[in-house]
Amino acid sequence: MAKKKIALVGAGQIGGTMALVLAQKQLGDVVLVDVVEGVPQGKALDIMEGRLSIGTSAVLTGTNNYDDLAGSDVVIVTAGVPRKPGMTRDDLLNINYGIIEKVGQALKKTAHNAFVIVVTNPLDAMVYAMQKVTGFASEKVVGMAGVLDSSRLACFVAMELGVAADDVQAVVMGGHGPSMVSLYDFVSVGGIPLPQLMSKEKFDELSKRTAMAGDEIVGLLKTGSAFYSPGLSAVRMAEAYLLDKKSILTCAVQLNGQYGVNGLYCGVPAVIGEKGIEKILEVKMNDAEKAAFAKSVEAVKGNAEWVDNKIKG
Ligand code: TXD
């Protein structure tokens, strides 16, 4: 079977992290794309020179030319400007929309069958814009946020309970911002529902930390935003597609009537397999969670309208 081609548009902090992890997992050959001369080429060559130590057959190349996106099976887009302390995700809207528009036009020309995973912030608006600009089927254009937010909540629960990280599953839905919704009853600790192990008060504390986890890291790093956990989260989505894993992951998907939402991208549990987003799971929430989710959808709506106006020109 021919090796898969995975293109990483944006070879910065997250792009470089994903290139290394993808090489280790041998999911396919990797093309790093960036506008900065030398950065994609240098990072690709650097990992190539380390292949003996990780025992991989993956071939990595770097380029500044979008034509090299041709025939990609998966495209993961981190191209954009990361947040700096004091910047909100929405401050990024204008700058990063322009970048996503350029990348989307290139993908439309060269990679029509790709599964496109958008990472660039503000995430819900950028993935919405990507689908509009490319015109690709919504099942093939998805945003990475919920996998990261859910893994952050799961991490904080595991730390608090002193249990193995991979024994904790969590679900964080809604927009990728302060309005995201952490679901108490949906957290499983080794199959045990969290309410049997942790008070709602403590959970609410961890939910707040989850919603601000991006800011916490921006504040610590000072020069940019989180990149290891976002990179690992996006690779997890790509792997589900490439290996047809039918993984249930919370992703920013286009809702077409589900949860009473039409046309917007928002984070909900979905099944990712070889066809892309194969199923959107409508879960039952309690009244408070439903209200919080509705608020989160409202927060997403504004940015989507901004993108629509931008496209209309
Ligand atoms: O959960 C999530 N979705 C978020 C996403 C989690 C963390 C970071 N989030 C966002 O991802 C962040 O706010 C940024 O918008 C992106 C990328 O973050 P990263 O930390 O990787 O930023 P870098 O290191 O600045 O890398 C961005 C690269 C950089 O090398 C630029 O030169 C390049 O993008 N870039 C481009 N590449 C290709 N094409 C174009 N037009 C372009 N413009 C910039």
Side-chain angles (χ1 to χ4, degrees):
M1 186 174 73
K3 278 167 104 176
K4 298 294 185 190
K5 178 174 178 179
I6 305 157
L8 305 178
V9 185
Q13 297 279 67
I14 299 178
T17 301
M18 293 191 292
L20 177 60
V21 175
L22 286 164
Q24 286 171 314
K25 286 175 170 278
Q26 302 197 75
L27 289 171
D29 288 344
V30 177
V31 180
L32 279 153
V33 185
D34 205 296
V35 287
V36 178
E37 300 270 319
V39 165
Q41 295 87 349
K43 290 192 176 182
L45 184 57
D46 189 4
I47 297 172
M48 285 283 274
E49 292 166 6
R51 287 185 303 168
L52 184 58
S53 303
I54 48 177
T56 180
S57 60
V59 173
L60 296 98
T61 50
T63 178
N64 302 111
N65 185 342
Y66 284 161
D67 292 347
D68 294 326
L69 290 166
S72 298
D73 296 288
V74 172
V75 180
I76 309 177
V77 184
T78 60
V81 170
R83 262 191 307 152
K84 300 268 183 316
M87 270 176 98
T88 68
R89 287 187 176 97
D90 290 355
D91 289 339
L92 289 166
L93 189 56
N94 211 0
I95 309 165
N96 285 346
Y97 172 79
I99 294 172
I100 290 294
E101 193 183 31
K102 263 208 284 296
V103 175
Q105 277 154 4
L107 291 179
K108 198 171 169 181
K109 254 182 30 213
T110 60
H112 343 276
N113 301 319
F115 182 54
V116 183
I117 301 169
V118 178
V119 178
T120 307
N121 264 330
L123 188 270
D124 306 290
M126 294 301 104
V127 61
Y128 179 84
M130 181 61 85
Q131 194 280 324
K132 292 276 178 198
V133 170
T134 56
F136 289 178
S138 59
E139 299 76 35
K140 299 293 281 296
V141 182
V142 63
M144 186 298 285
V147 176
L148 172 62
D149 298 328
S150 302
S151 73
R152 281 171 163 165
L153 177 60
C155 164
F156 298 142
V157 169
M159 286 162 68
E160 181 64 28
L161 295 178
V163 299
D166 54 359
D167 277 337
V168 183
Q169 298 270 352
V171 176
V172 177
M173 292 172 59
H176 181 53
S179 66
M180 63 179 78
V181 187
S182 297
L183 299 166
Y184 184 38
D185 299 337
F186 286 43
V187 182
S188 144
V189 183
I192 302 161
L194 185 64
Q196 296 188 23
L197 301 171
M198 182 185 286
S199 71
K200 182 71 170 55
E201 291 66 40
K202 176 51 79 179
F203 176 75
D204 287 345
E205 243 178 72
L206 301 186
S207 302
K208 281 198 186 73
R209 187 176 179 189
T210 303
M212 298 309 288
D215 295 74
E216 183 180 1
I217 292 188
V218 166
L220 289 166
L221 295 180
K222 308 235 179 339
T223 54
S225 36
F227 53 94
Y228 292 122
S229 49
L232 290 163
S233 303
V235 167
R236 191 166 165 210
M237 293 166 70
E239 187 170 32
Y241 175 75
L242 290 167
L243 302 186
D244 188 25
K245 289 183 77 173
K246 314 288 187 205
S247 303
I248 297 177
L249 296 169
T250 305
C251 322
V253 296
Q254 189 182 77
L255 298 175
N256 298 306
Q258 299 90 345
Y259 298 94
V261 179
N262 254 306
L264 286 181
Y265 268 81
C266 204
V268 298
V271 175
I272 298 185
E274 61 182 3
K275 296 189 183 67
I277 298 298
E278 297 188 352
K279 204 181 291 171
I280 294 176
L281 303 177
E282 287 202 80
V283 296
K284 289 188 176 40
M285 295 180 267
N286 63 34
D287 291 346
E289 290 159 345
K290 270 191 213 148
F293 183 75
K295 201 161 144 267
S296 197
V297 169
E298 274 314 301
V300 164
K301 206 179 269 179
N303 277 349
E305 280 157 9
W306 184 94
V307 169
D308 285 337
N309 293 332
K310 198 82 182 161
I311 291 175
K312 277 189 212 126

